[in-house]
Amino acid sequence: MMPFKELVLASHNAGKLKELQAMLGDSVKVRSIAEFSEVEPEETGLSFVENAILKARNAARVSGLPALADDSGLAVDALGGAPGIYSARYADGQGDAANNAKLLEVLREVPEAERGAQFICSLALLRHAEDPLPILCEGVWRGRILFEARGEHGFGYDPLFWVPERECSSAELSPIEKNQLSHRARAMALLKQRLGL
């Protein structure tokens, strides 16, 4: 049974808010941190887990609500796991299109067999700002990087991420399909299990 009726999502990303609310269903109302603060905490962690905890702690502090943070990104095998925790600001904060263009350029000479990658999601749920025992869940979604963008759905690197089990890009999946397969879906399934939902 969910121990609270609402929580704050430590993200200004409307796409993420929509996805997580859909995954959690009606049992809890997910509110955006944007309702409480426009200031994003500095992500000084060196891992997805560290940054998720940092963001959740900040969101719980400014909202007074339990907080859920998701730190996620793309780890490309040929790049030693980059862009990793820097996925959202890979092209110096110029947005998704610039990030995708940079990734394609960096991988231009890399053959298909060596373009393996994974989306990683770390979720941290804090019951309150000083919570010493955050609930942590991780999801990993394996695929590979395409040579050009495909599809209209999703956000971030979805148009470049080939999903082998569906033989299409992540951006060609319907939102419902993506919410069943993605790294975020996998992490959320573990979180729901932990919360008894």
Side-chain angles (χ1 to χ4, degrees), residues 170-192:
S170 175
E172 291 174 305
L173 294 170
S174 72
I176 290 170
E177 280 183 297
K178 185 185 172 192
N179 286 351
Q180 292 167 343
L181 297 171
S182 76
H183 52 310
R184 202 165 288 117
R186 292 165 197 223
M188 183 56 76
L190 291 175
L191 181 66
K192 287 169 78 169

Side-chain angles (χ1 to χ4, degrees), residues 2 23 27 41 60 63 67 79 100 116 144 147 149 169 180-181 191:
M2 178 65 94
M23 288 176 200
S27 57
S63 69
L79 303 179
N100 284 319
R144 72 170 194 272
F147 288 90
S169 79
Q180 292 167 343
L181 297 171
L191 181 66

Side-chain angles (χ1 to χ4, degrees), residues 95-111:
D96 290 350
N99 288 339
N100 284 319
K102 179 176 178 179
L103 184 62
L104 286 176
E105 178 57 31
V106 171
L107 293 176
R108 196 165 35 128
E109 305 296 322
V110 178

Side-chain angles (χ1 to χ4, degrees), residues 10-30:
S11 173
H12 289 85
N13 184 321
K16 235 178 232 192
L17 182 72
K18 200 172 170 183
E19 274 187 14
L20 288 169
Q21 182 66 75
M23 288 176 200
L24 277 172
D26 299 332
S27 57
V28 62
K29 178 176 171 49
V30 182

Side-chain angles (χ1 to χ4, degrees), residues 22-41:
M23 288 176 200
L24 277 172
D26 299 332
S27 57
V28 62
K29 178 176 171 49
V30 182
R31 296 173 65 179
S32 169
I33 188 66
E35 292 181 43
F36 304 95
S37 170
E38 282 304 315
V39 182
E40 300 249 6

Side-chain angles (χ1 to χ4, degrees), residues 74 76 83 90 96-107 115-117 119 143-153 155-163 168-172:
L74 181 69
V76 179
Y90 190 44
D96 290 350
N99 288 339
N100 284 319
K102 179 176 178 179
L103 184 62
L104 286 176
E105 178 57 31
V106 171
L107 293 176
R115 294 172 80 93
F119 273 127
R144 72 170 194 272
I145 304 303
L146 293 164
F147 288 90
E148 59 183 26
R150 289 177 49 171
E152 303 298 320
H153 299 294
F155 57 92
Y157 297 94
D158 285 340
L160 299 182
F161 188 77
W162 179 255
V163 182
C168 67
S169 79
S170 175
E172 291 174 305

Side-chain angles (χ1 to χ4, degrees), residues 47 60 74 80 87 126 154:
S47 68
L74 181 69
S87 293
L126 273 71

Side-chain angles (χ1 to χ4, degrees), residues 45-61:
L46 296 177
S47 68
F48 292 111
V49 170
E50 287 172 280
N51 282 334
I53 292 172
L54 193 145
K55 291 192 283 190
R57 209 170 285 291
N58 174 71
R61 194 170 291 124

